[in-house]
Amino acid sequence: MLQFSFASFIHAVRPEHLSKIVRHRSKRMILDSIGVGLVGSTTHVFDIALKYCLLYSSVAVSNVYGKPGVKLSPTLAAFTNGVATHSMDFDDTWHPATHPSGAVLPALLAASQMLPPNSKPNGLDFLLAFNVGLEVQGRLMHFSTEAHNIPKRFHPPSVVGTMGSAAATAKLLSLSMTQCTHALGIAASLAGAPMANAATQAKPLHIGNATRLGFEAALLAARGMEANPFILDDISGCSGFSAFYSIYQPRPLSTSSECHEFLLEKQDIAFKRFPAHLGMHWVVDAALSVRNLFINYAGSFSPSLIRTIVLKIPVSKYINRPFPNSEHEARHSFQFNACTALLDGEVGLSSFTEGSIHRQELRELLHKVVVEHPEDNVANFDKMYGEVAVLLKSGDVLTGKCDTFYGHWRKPLSRESLLKKFRSNASHVLPEEKVETIITMVDNLENLSDSSHLACSL
Protein backbone atom coordinates (compact mmCIF):
# COMPACT_ATOMS: atom_id res chain seq x y z
CA MET A 1 0.00 0.00 0.00
CA LEU A 2 2.35 2.62 -1.36
CA GLN A 3 -0.10 5.48 -0.90
CA PHE A 4 -0.14 4.96 2.87
CA SER A 5 3.61 5.62 2.99
CA PHE A 6 3.06 8.97 1.25
CA ALA A 7 0.14 9.80 3.52
CA SER A 8 2.21 8.86 6.55
CA PHE A 9 4.98 11.19 5.38
CA ILE A 10 2.57 14.08 4.81
CA HIS A 11 0.96 13.61 8.19
CA ALA A 12 4.07 12.91 10.25
CA VAL A 13 6.85 15.09 8.80
CA ARG A 14 7.87 17.89 11.16
CA PRO A 15 9.58 21.30 10.83
CA GLU A 16 12.79 19.95 12.38
CA HIS A 17 13.13 17.68 9.35
CA LEU A 18 13.83 20.76 7.22
CA SER A 19 17.59 21.23 6.95
CA LYS A 20 19.24 24.61 6.64
CA ILE A 21 19.85 23.99 2.91
CA VAL A 22 16.23 22.99 2.27
CA ARG A 23 14.92 26.06 4.09
CA HIS A 24 17.28 28.32 2.17
CA ARG A 25 16.47 26.86 -1.24
CA SER A 26 12.72 26.69 -0.69
CA LYS A 27 12.55 30.31 0.46
CA ARG A 28 14.37 31.33 -2.72
CA MET A 29 11.71 29.43 -4.64
CA ILE A 30 8.88 31.12 -2.76
CA LEU A 31 10.30 34.59 -3.38
CA ASP A 32 10.93 33.94 -7.06
CA SER A 33 7.48 32.41 -7.56
CA ILE A 34 5.77 35.41 -5.96
CA GLY A 35 7.69 37.80 -8.19
CA VAL A 36 6.88 35.80 -11.30
CA GLY A 37 3.22 35.73 -10.28
CA LEU A 38 3.15 39.47 -9.68
CA VAL A 39 4.55 40.34 -13.10
CA GLY A 40 2.32 37.64 -14.59
CA SER A 41 -0.70 39.57 -13.29
CA THR A 42 -0.04 42.11 -16.06
CA THR A 43 -0.69 39.59 -18.85
CA HIS A 44 -3.74 39.13 -21.07
CA VAL A 45 -4.21 35.48 -20.14
CA PHE A 46 -4.29 36.44 -16.44
CA ASP A 47 -6.99 39.03 -17.16
CA ILE A 48 -9.10 36.37 -18.87
CA ALA A 49 -8.74 34.01 -15.90
CA LEU A 50 -9.52 36.75 -13.38
CA LYS A 51 -12.66 37.91 -15.19
CA TYR A 52 -13.86 34.32 -15.32
CA CYS A 53 -13.28 33.77 -11.61
CA LEU A 54 -15.00 37.02 -10.64
CA LEU A 55 -18.21 35.58 -12.11
CA TYR A 56 -18.27 32.77 -9.55
CA SER A 57 -16.50 34.00 -6.43
CA SER A 58 -18.87 34.09 -3.47
CA VAL A 59 -16.77 33.73 -0.32
CA ALA A 60 -14.08 36.22 -1.29
CA VAL A 61 -11.31 35.98 1.33
CA SER A 62 -8.10 35.34 -0.61
CA ASN A 63 -5.83 37.87 -2.32
CA VAL A 64 -4.98 37.95 -6.02
CA TYR A 65 -1.49 38.70 -7.33
CA GLY A 66 -1.04 42.32 -8.31
CA LYS A 67 -4.66 43.34 -7.70
CA PRO A 68 -4.94 45.15 -4.34
CA GLY A 69 -8.52 45.19 -3.16
CA VAL A 70 -9.55 42.21 -5.29
CA LYS A 71 -10.37 39.00 -3.40
CA LEU A 72 -11.70 35.66 -4.59
CA SER A 73 -12.87 32.45 -2.97
CA PRO A 74 -9.82 30.41 -1.88
CA THR A 75 -9.76 27.83 -4.68
CA LEU A 76 -10.42 30.42 -7.39
CA ALA A 77 -7.68 32.66 -5.97
CA ALA A 78 -5.33 29.68 -6.13
CA PHE A 79 -6.35 29.07 -9.75
CA THR A 80 -5.92 32.70 -10.80
CA ASN A 81 -2.56 33.08 -9.09
CA GLY A 82 -1.40 29.79 -10.60
CA VAL A 83 -2.27 31.12 -14.06
CA ALA A 84 -0.33 34.31 -13.30
CA THR A 85 2.71 32.29 -12.23
CA HIS A 86 2.96 30.42 -15.54
CA SER A 87 1.55 33.10 -17.84
CA MET A 88 5.02 34.08 -19.09
CA ASP A 89 6.75 30.73 -18.56
CA PHE A 90 8.97 32.58 -16.10
CA ASP A 91 8.59 30.16 -13.18
CA ASP A 92 11.15 27.78 -11.73
CA THR A 93 12.00 24.35 -13.13
CA TRP A 94 13.20 21.22 -11.33
CA HIS A 95 14.73 17.92 -12.38
CA PRO A 96 13.06 15.62 -13.33
CA ALA A 97 11.29 18.26 -15.38
CA THR A 98 8.39 20.12 -13.76
CA HIS A 99 7.48 23.59 -12.44
CA PRO A 100 7.15 22.82 -8.72
CA SER A 101 6.49 26.13 -6.97
CA GLY A 102 3.59 27.43 -9.04
CA ALA A 103 1.57 24.27 -8.42
CA VAL A 104 1.89 24.56 -4.64
CA LEU A 105 2.42 28.13 -3.47
CA PRO A 106 -0.87 29.70 -4.69
CA ALA A 107 -2.90 27.00 -2.90
CA LEU A 108 -1.04 27.57 0.36
CA LEU A 109 -1.37 31.35 0.15
CA ALA A 110 -5.12 31.05 -0.43
CA ALA A 111 -5.59 28.38 2.25
CA SER A 112 -3.74 30.46 4.84
CA GLN A 113 -6.31 33.23 4.39
CA MET A 114 -9.24 30.81 4.45
CA LEU A 115 -8.58 29.47 7.94
CA PRO A 116 -10.17 31.20 10.98
CA PRO A 117 -8.05 33.59 13.08
CA ASN A 118 -7.45 31.06 15.85
CA SER A 119 -6.21 28.43 13.36
CA LYS A 120 -3.80 30.42 11.21
CA PRO A 121 -0.63 28.44 10.44
CA ASN A 122 2.62 30.16 11.31
CA GLY A 123 5.43 30.74 8.86
CA LEU A 124 7.28 27.54 9.77
CA ASP A 125 4.11 25.49 9.23
CA PHE A 126 3.74 27.19 5.85
CA LEU A 127 7.35 26.46 4.88
CA LEU A 128 6.97 22.82 5.89
CA ALA A 129 3.75 22.43 3.87
CA PHE A 130 5.46 24.01 0.85
CA ASN A 131 8.31 21.51 1.10
CA VAL A 132 5.86 18.62 1.50
CA GLY A 133 4.31 19.68 -1.82
CA LEU A 134 7.74 19.79 -3.48
CA GLU A 135 8.79 16.46 -2.03
CA VAL A 136 5.70 14.61 -3.21
CA GLN A 137 6.15 16.01 -6.73
CA GLY A 138 9.81 15.02 -6.81
CA ARG A 139 9.25 11.52 -5.49
CA LEU A 140 6.48 10.87 -8.02
CA MET A 141 8.68 12.12 -10.86
CA HIS A 142 11.35 9.64 -9.81
CA PHE A 143 8.91 6.76 -10.31
CA SER A 144 9.55 6.93 -14.05
CA THR A 145 12.71 7.31 -16.13
CA GLU A 146 10.42 8.76 -18.81
CA ALA A 147 9.86 11.77 -16.53
CA HIS A 148 13.55 12.70 -16.65
CA ASN A 149 13.30 13.92 -20.25
CA ILE A 150 11.54 16.90 -21.79
CA PRO A 151 7.89 15.77 -21.89
CA LYS A 152 5.98 14.62 -24.96
CA ARG A 153 2.54 13.53 -23.68
CA PHE A 154 1.44 15.20 -20.43
CA HIS A 155 2.63 18.54 -19.03
CA PRO A 156 4.30 17.41 -15.77
CA PRO A 157 2.94 20.09 -13.40
CA SER A 158 -0.59 19.17 -14.42
CA VAL A 159 0.16 15.64 -13.20
CA VAL A 160 2.58 15.74 -10.26
CA GLY A 161 1.73 19.37 -9.46
CA THR A 162 -1.88 18.47 -8.69
CA MET A 163 -0.64 15.76 -6.32
CA GLY A 164 1.85 18.15 -4.74
CA SER A 165 -0.83 20.76 -4.17
CA ALA A 166 -3.08 18.17 -2.51
CA ALA A 167 -0.23 17.02 -0.26
CA ALA A 168 0.85 20.55 0.69
CA THR A 169 -2.69 21.70 1.44
CA ALA A 170 -3.43 18.53 3.39
CA LYS A 171 -0.38 19.26 5.54
CA LEU A 172 -1.31 22.90 6.09
CA LEU A 173 -4.88 21.91 7.04
CA SER A 174 -3.57 19.19 9.41
CA LEU A 175 -5.51 16.37 7.77
CA SER A 176 -5.38 12.90 9.31
CA MET A 177 -3.32 10.17 7.67
CA THR A 178 -6.47 8.59 6.26
CA GLN A 179 -7.61 11.93 4.86
CA CYS A 180 -4.16 12.48 3.32
CA THR A 181 -4.45 9.08 1.62
CA HIS A 182 -7.78 10.02 0.09
CA ALA A 183 -6.61 13.52 -0.87
CA LEU A 184 -3.91 11.94 -3.07
CA GLY A 185 -6.40 9.51 -4.56
CA ILE A 186 -8.87 12.29 -5.37
CA ALA A 187 -6.11 14.47 -6.83
CA ALA A 188 -5.08 11.68 -9.21
CA SER A 189 -8.57 11.83 -10.74
CA LEU A 190 -8.17 15.57 -11.29
CA ALA A 191 -4.70 15.46 -12.86
CA GLY A 192 -3.36 15.70 -16.40
CA ALA A 193 -3.15 18.08 -19.37
CA PRO A 194 -1.75 17.38 -22.87
CA MET A 195 1.47 18.87 -24.20
CA ALA A 196 -0.36 19.94 -27.39
CA ASN A 197 -1.51 23.04 -25.51
CA ALA A 198 2.06 24.19 -24.91
CA ALA A 199 2.79 27.56 -26.52
CA THR A 200 -0.87 28.62 -26.24
CA GLN A 201 -2.86 30.65 -23.73
CA ALA A 202 -4.16 27.36 -22.34
CA LYS A 203 -0.77 26.26 -20.99
CA PRO A 204 -0.88 28.57 -17.92
CA LEU A 205 -4.19 26.89 -17.05
CA HIS A 206 -2.17 23.73 -16.36
CA ILE A 207 -0.54 25.37 -13.34
CA GLY A 208 -3.76 27.14 -12.33
CA ASN A 209 -5.69 23.89 -12.41
CA ALA A 210 -2.94 21.92 -10.65
CA THR A 211 -2.84 24.22 -7.65
CA ARG A 212 -6.62 24.67 -7.53
CA LEU A 213 -7.63 21.04 -8.06
CA GLY A 214 -5.06 19.71 -5.59
CA PHE A 215 -6.43 22.21 -3.07
CA GLU A 216 -9.96 21.02 -3.80
CA ALA A 217 -8.90 17.39 -3.41
CA ALA A 218 -7.66 18.13 0.11
CA LEU A 219 -10.86 20.01 0.96
CA LEU A 220 -12.98 17.12 -0.30
CA ALA A 221 -10.95 14.60 1.69
CA ALA A 222 -11.31 16.78 4.79
CA ARG A 223 -15.08 16.56 4.35
CA GLY A 224 -15.12 12.79 4.12
CA MET A 225 -14.74 12.00 0.41
CA GLU A 226 -12.88 8.75 -0.22
CA ALA A 227 -10.81 7.49 -3.15
CA ASN A 228 -8.80 4.42 -4.09
CA PRO A 229 -6.06 4.01 -1.45
CA PHE A 230 -3.91 2.10 -3.97
CA ILE A 231 -3.83 4.84 -6.63
CA LEU A 232 -0.01 5.05 -6.55
CA ASP A 233 0.55 1.30 -6.79
CA ASP A 234 1.34 -0.38 -10.09
CA ILE A 235 -1.62 -2.72 -10.40
CA SER A 236 -1.82 -4.68 -13.62
CA GLY A 237 -5.03 -4.28 -15.61
CA CYS A 238 -6.32 -1.25 -13.70
CA SER A 239 -4.06 1.78 -13.95
CA GLY A 240 -3.85 4.35 -11.22
CA PHE A 241 -1.20 7.06 -11.30
CA SER A 242 0.76 4.77 -13.63
CA ALA A 243 -1.63 5.82 -16.43
CA PHE A 244 0.52 8.92 -16.92
CA TYR A 245 3.75 7.02 -17.62
CA SER A 246 4.65 4.12 -19.91
CA ILE A 247 7.51 3.24 -17.54
CA TYR A 248 6.43 3.23 -13.90
CA GLN A 249 8.33 1.84 -10.91
CA PRO A 250 6.83 3.21 -7.67
CA ARG A 251 8.67 3.21 -4.37
CA PRO A 252 7.45 3.94 -0.84
CA LEU A 253 8.22 7.25 0.84
CA SER A 254 9.46 6.68 4.36
CA THR A 255 10.00 9.10 7.22
CA SER A 256 11.73 8.25 10.45
CA SER A 257 10.92 10.14 13.61
CA GLU A 258 14.47 11.48 13.64
CA CYS A 259 15.19 12.63 10.10
CA HIS A 260 14.10 12.85 6.48
CA GLU A 261 16.32 13.89 3.60
CA PHE A 262 14.28 16.01 1.20
CA LEU A 263 15.04 15.80 -2.51
CA LEU A 264 15.62 19.56 -2.53
CA GLU A 265 18.67 18.87 -0.35
CA LYS A 266 20.29 16.95 -3.22
CA GLN A 267 18.67 18.56 -6.28
CA ASP A 268 18.63 22.35 -6.46
CA ILE A 269 16.24 24.34 -8.66
CA ALA A 270 16.66 26.29 -11.91
CA PHE A 271 15.57 29.94 -11.95
CA LYS A 272 14.96 31.63 -15.29
CA ARG A 273 16.58 34.96 -16.18
CA PHE A 274 14.02 35.76 -18.87
CA PRO A 275 10.40 34.64 -19.47
CA ALA A 276 10.62 31.63 -21.77
CA HIS A 277 10.78 27.83 -21.75
CA LEU A 278 13.83 26.57 -19.87
CA GLY A 279 15.39 25.07 -23.00
CA MET A 280 15.68 28.55 -24.48
CA HIS A 281 18.26 29.53 -21.88
CA TRP A 282 20.92 27.28 -23.40
CA VAL A 283 20.57 28.67 -26.92
CA VAL A 284 20.35 32.26 -25.71
CA ASP A 285 23.60 32.02 -23.75
CA ALA A 286 25.26 30.34 -26.73
CA ALA A 287 23.92 33.04 -29.08
CA LEU A 288 25.13 35.83 -26.79
CA SER A 289 28.66 34.43 -26.83
CA VAL A 290 28.52 34.28 -30.66
CA ARG A 291 27.29 37.87 -30.77
CA ASN A 292 30.31 38.98 -28.74
CA LEU A 293 32.61 37.12 -31.16
CA PHE A 294 30.79 38.79 -34.06
CA ILE A 295 31.28 42.28 -32.64
CA ASN A 296 34.97 41.59 -32.05
CA TYR A 297 35.19 40.31 -35.62
CA ALA A 298 33.25 43.03 -37.45
CA GLY A 299 33.04 45.94 -35.01
CA SER A 300 29.25 45.67 -34.73
CA PHE A 301 26.51 43.11 -35.27
CA SER A 302 25.46 43.19 -38.91
CA PRO A 303 22.86 40.58 -40.03
CA SER A 304 23.70 41.33 -43.68
CA LEU A 305 27.06 39.55 -43.21
CA ILE A 306 25.35 36.30 -42.18
CA ARG A 307 24.68 33.48 -44.62
CA THR A 308 23.38 30.78 -42.26
CA ILE A 309 22.67 30.29 -38.56
CA VAL A 310 22.98 26.69 -37.36
CA LEU A 311 21.31 25.66 -34.10
CA LYS A 312 22.39 22.37 -32.56
CA ILE A 313 19.57 21.45 -30.21
CA PRO A 314 17.84 18.34 -28.83
CA VAL A 315 14.78 16.86 -30.53
CA SER A 316 11.67 18.36 -28.92
CA LYS A 317 8.81 19.14 -31.25
CA TYR A 318 6.92 21.68 -29.15
CA ILE A 319 9.90 24.00 -28.73
CA ASN A 320 11.12 23.72 -32.32
CA ARG A 321 9.12 26.58 -33.89
CA PRO A 322 10.78 28.25 -36.91
CA PHE A 323 8.37 31.19 -37.26
CA PRO A 324 6.35 31.89 -34.10
CA ASN A 325 3.32 34.15 -34.47
CA SER A 326 2.36 34.81 -30.85
CA GLU A 327 4.10 35.57 -27.56
CA HIS A 328 3.39 32.06 -26.30
CA GLU A 329 4.83 30.45 -29.42
CA ALA A 330 7.85 32.75 -29.20
CA ARG A 331 8.52 31.65 -25.61
CA HIS A 332 8.69 28.08 -26.96
CA SER A 333 10.91 28.64 -29.99
CA PHE A 334 14.62 27.85 -30.07
CA GLN A 335 14.88 29.81 -33.31
CA PHE A 336 13.18 32.96 -32.03
CA ASN A 337 15.16 33.17 -28.81
CA ALA A 338 18.52 32.53 -30.47
CA CYS A 339 17.86 35.17 -33.15
CA THR A 340 16.56 37.69 -30.63
CA ALA A 341 19.70 37.26 -28.54
CA LEU A 342 21.87 37.72 -31.65
CA LEU A 343 19.97 40.78 -32.81
CA ASP A 344 19.39 42.59 -29.50
CA GLY A 345 22.12 41.29 -27.22
CA GLU A 346 19.50 40.27 -24.64
CA VAL A 347 16.14 38.55 -24.15
CA GLY A 348 13.65 40.08 -21.72
CA LEU A 349 10.02 40.97 -21.10
CA SER A 350 9.86 43.31 -24.09
CA SER A 351 11.20 40.62 -26.45
CA PHE A 352 7.79 38.95 -26.55
CA THR A 353 5.60 41.90 -27.52
CA GLU A 354 3.78 41.83 -30.86
CA GLY A 355 6.09 44.53 -32.22
CA SER A 356 9.24 42.63 -31.30
CA ILE A 357 8.00 39.28 -32.60
CA HIS A 358 7.04 40.58 -36.03
CA ARG A 359 10.03 42.85 -36.70
CA GLN A 360 11.23 42.60 -40.28
CA GLU A 361 14.91 42.28 -39.31
CA LEU A 362 14.10 39.43 -36.93
CA ARG A 363 12.01 37.62 -39.55
CA GLU A 364 14.87 37.92 -42.04
CA LEU A 365 17.23 36.39 -39.48
CA LEU A 366 14.80 33.52 -38.77
CA HIS A 367 14.85 32.61 -42.47
CA LYS A 368 18.60 31.97 -42.17
CA VAL A 369 18.24 29.39 -39.39
CA VAL A 370 19.00 25.70 -39.93
CA VAL A 371 18.39 23.19 -37.13
CA GLU A 372 20.53 20.14 -36.41
CA HIS A 373 19.97 17.43 -33.79
CA PRO A 374 23.29 15.86 -32.70
CA GLU A 375 22.84 12.38 -31.20
CA ASP A 376 24.65 13.39 -28.01
CA ASN A 377 22.29 16.32 -27.39
CA VAL A 378 19.44 14.63 -25.55
CA ALA A 379 16.13 16.23 -24.53
CA ASN A 380 16.93 16.27 -20.84
CA PHE A 381 17.44 19.41 -18.75
CA ASP A 382 20.32 17.80 -16.89
CA LYS A 383 22.20 16.67 -20.03
CA MET A 384 21.32 18.91 -22.99
CA TYR A 385 23.36 21.73 -24.47
CA GLY A 386 22.81 24.56 -26.91
CA GLU A 387 25.20 25.39 -29.74
CA VAL A 388 24.93 28.28 -32.19
CA ALA A 389 27.14 28.57 -35.27
CA VAL A 390 26.99 31.66 -37.48
CA LEU A 391 28.31 31.04 -41.00
CA LEU A 392 29.39 34.33 -42.57
CA LYS A 393 29.32 35.16 -46.25
CA SER A 394 33.10 35.57 -46.02
CA GLY A 395 33.39 31.87 -45.21
CA ASP A 396 34.30 32.38 -41.56
CA VAL A 397 32.35 30.59 -38.85
CA LEU A 398 31.64 31.92 -35.35
CA THR A 399 30.53 29.35 -32.77
CA GLY A 400 29.21 29.46 -29.22
CA LYS A 401 28.19 26.59 -26.99
CA CYS A 402 26.42 26.49 -23.63
CA ASP A 403 26.43 23.37 -21.45
CA THR A 404 25.13 25.06 -18.28
CA PHE A 405 23.44 28.46 -18.31
CA TYR A 406 23.51 30.91 -15.40
CA GLY A 407 20.43 30.06 -13.32
CA HIS A 408 20.63 26.28 -13.88
CA TRP A 409 20.90 24.14 -10.73
CA ARG A 410 24.57 23.54 -11.57
CA LYS A 411 25.17 27.29 -11.75
CA PRO A 412 22.59 28.84 -9.38
CA LEU A 413 21.59 32.48 -9.42
CA SER A 414 23.34 34.48 -6.71
CA ARG A 415 21.20 36.13 -4.07
CA GLU A 416 21.94 39.45 -5.74
CA SER A 417 20.66 38.16 -9.11
CA LEU A 418 17.56 36.56 -7.57
CA LEU A 419 16.67 39.76 -5.72
CA LYS A 420 17.24 41.80 -8.87
CA LYS A 421 14.79 39.56 -10.74
CA PHE A 422 12.23 39.71 -7.94
CA ARG A 423 12.41 43.49 -7.59
CA SER A 424 12.12 43.95 -11.35
CA ASN A 425 9.08 41.66 -11.55
CA ALA A 426 7.27 42.84 -8.43
CA SER A 427 7.79 46.54 -9.17
CA HIS A 428 5.50 46.25 -12.19
CA VAL A 429 2.51 46.10 -9.84
CA LEU A 430 3.68 47.00 -6.31
CA PRO A 431 5.33 50.08 -4.77
CA GLU A 432 8.93 49.77 -3.58
CA GLU A 433 7.97 49.65 0.09
CA LYS A 434 5.73 46.61 -0.43
CA VAL A 435 8.36 44.89 -2.56
CA GLU A 436 10.94 45.21 0.21
CA THR A 437 8.40 44.08 2.83
CA ILE A 438 7.80 40.84 0.93
CA ILE A 439 11.56 40.17 0.67
CA THR A 440 11.95 40.64 4.42
CA MET A 441 8.89 38.50 5.15
CA VAL A 442 10.12 35.57 3.03
CA ASP A 443 13.65 35.85 4.44
CA ASN A 444 12.20 35.51 7.95
CA LEU A 445 9.35 33.14 7.11
CA GLU A 446 10.15 30.73 9.95
CA ASN A 447 9.56 33.54 12.46
CA LEU A 448 6.24 34.72 11.02
CA SER A 449 3.48 34.18 13.60
CA ASP A 450 0.70 34.23 10.99
CA SER A 451 1.54 33.03 7.47
CA SER A 452 -1.56 34.71 6.01
CA HIS A 453 0.31 38.02 6.36
CA LEU A 454 2.40 36.98 3.35
CA ALA A 455 -0.70 36.53 1.20
CA CYS A 456 -2.15 39.81 2.47
CA SER A 457 1.00 41.65 1.32
CA LEU A 458 0.45 40.69 -2.33
Side-chain angles (χ1 to χ4, degrees):
M1 295 188 291
L2 191 72
Q3 203 160 322
F4 290 160
S5 75
F6 275 70
S8 177
F9 163 75
I10 296 166
H11 179 69
V13 69
R14 301 193 306 273
E16 50 265 36
H17 290 138
L18 298 175
S19 69
K20 185 177 180 181
I21 290 176
V22 169
R23 293 186 188 203
H24 170 71
R25 289 177 174 174
S26 57
K27 286 193 291 184
R28 281 164 58 89
M29 294 169 72
I30 289 171
L31 185 69
D32 182 72
S33 188
I34 290 172
V36 166
L38 288 169
V39 72
S41 71
T42 65
T43 61
H44 180 52
V45 66
F46 170 84
D47 287 339
I48 294 172
L50 178 59
K51 288 175 183 176
Y52 167 77
C53 289
L54 285 169
L55 293 173
Y56 301 102
S57 196
S58 54
V59 185
V61 297
S62 299
N63 283 53
V64 176
Y65 282 149
K67 302 293 179 183
V70 175
K71 291 183 182 292
L72 296 172
S73 62
T75 57
L76 290 182
F79 169 75
T80 307
N81 290 338
V83 171
T85 301
H86 200 56
S87 62
M88 293 183 176
D89 224 297
F90 210 176
D91 44 337
D92 58 23
T93 305
W94 211 11
H95 179 72
T98 194
H99 305 288
S101 297
V104 171
L105 184 59
L108 294 180
L109 291 169
S112 71
Q113 292 186 287
M114 175 189 76
L115 293 168
N118 62 347
S119 301
K120 296 289 189 186
N122 61 38
L124 189 54
D125 293 331
F126 188 98
L127 189 61
L128 178 61
F130 180 75
N131 276 284
V132 165
L134 301 183
E135 185 74 355
V136 166
Q137 291 181 76
R139 296 288 175 174
L140 292 175
M141 294 292 285
H142 278 84
F143 282 3
S144 175
T145 54
E146 179 186 350
H148 285 65
N149 298 327
I150 297 176
K152 297 178 181 178
R153 298 193 301 150
F154 294 98
H155 192 204
S158 74
V159 178
V160 297
T162 309
M163 305 292 280
S165 174
T169 312
K171 185 63 178 177
L172 196 73
L173 300 179
S174 301
L175 268 57
S176 70
M177 195 174 86
T178 299
Q179 290 170 328
C180 291
T181 300
H182 292 308
L184 292 174
I186 296 166
S189 282
L190 302 175
M195 284 307 304
N197 267 328
T200 73
Q201 287 185 337
K203 191 188 178 201
L205 301 182
H206 299 178
I207 301 290
N209 279 330
T211 193
R212 171 192 179 179
L213 296 175
F215 187 178
E216 291 182 352
L219 292 176
L220 289 167
R223 283 153 181 78
M225 181 170 283
E226 298 179 351
N228 189 335
F230 303 99
I231 208 76
L232 297 181
D233 289 86
D234 187 15
I235 299 175
S236 178
C238 186
S239 293
F241 195 74
S242 61
F244 296 109
Y245 300 104
S246 57
I247 302 170
Y248 187 73
Q249 298 174 315
R251 293 177 293 279
L253 174 54
S254 60
T255 303
S256 73
S257 59
E258 299 299 323
C259 64
H260 175 80
E261 186 178 40
F262 284 81
L263 288 175
L264 190 59
E265 180 97 32
K266 298 178 285 186
Q267 176 64 63
D268 202 355
I269 204 80
F271 294 111
K272 299 175 180 179
R273 304 195 318 274
F274 55 89
H277 183 277
L278 192 74
M280 306 305 107
H281 289 65
W282 278 273
V283 295
V284 163
D285 278 14
L288 291 175
S289 64
V290 171
R291 189 178 196 275
N292 289 334
L293 293 174
F294 198 120
I295 291 172
N296 290 334
Y297 173 91
S300 63
F301 184 76
S302 177
S304 63
L305 300 180
I306 298 174
R307 186 177 80 240
T308 307
I309 300 169
V310 179
L311 303 185
K312 295 184 178 181
I313 55 176
V315 175
S316 185
K317 187 172 182 179
Y318 80 99
I319 45 180
N320 182 357
R321 297 177 183 271
F323 302 101
N325 287 311
S326 70
E327 62 160 306
H328 297 285
E329 290 183 1
R331 298 183 199 280
H332 295 76
S333 167
F334 280 121
Q335 295 89 333
F336 174 87
N337 284 273
C339 288
T340 297
L342 286 171
L343 194 61
D344 300 333
E346 63 178 356
V347 178
L349 292 179
S350 62
S351 302
F352 301 95
T353 62
E354 284 294 310
S356 294
I357 292 169
H358 296 289
R359 288 177 290 169
Q360 182 63 29
E361 59 268 36
L362 180 62
R363 291 280 148 173
E364 290 175 359
L365 214 54
L366 287 170
H367 278 282
K368 298 182 179 184
V369 174
V370 174
V371 167
E372 295 181 0
H373 301 297
E375 288 186 6
D376 67 335
N377 198 355
V378 296
N380 180 306
F381 292 143
D382 204 41
K383 300 176 181 178
M384 68 172 283
Y385 62 86
E387 186 171 326
V388 178
V390 173
L391 284 62
L392 303 179
K393 292 177 181 177
S394 65
D396 292 320
V397 180
L398 306 175
T399 303
K401 183 178 180 180
C402 175
D403 295 303
T404 304
F405 64 85
Y406 181 48
H408 190 272
W409 44 82
R410 289 193 297 269
K411 194 183 291 186
L413 290 186
S414 67
R415 175 171 170 80
E416 181 183 9
S417 294
L418 191 71
L419 288 178
K420 182 180 179 181
K421 177 186 174 182
F422 177 78
R423 289 186 173 112
S424 174
N425 286 337
S427 64
H428 282 270
V429 293
L430 294 180
E432 182 180 353
E433 182 181 353
K434 273 200 167 186
V435 172
E436 297 305 315
T437 296
I438 293 171
I439 293 172
T440 301
M441 207 174 291
V442 174
D443 277 347
N444 298 283
L445 190 55
E446 300 99 320
N447 303 317
L448 201 61
S449 60
D450 180 352
S451 61
S452 69
H453 291 166
L454 179 59
C456 292
S457 69
L458 306 177

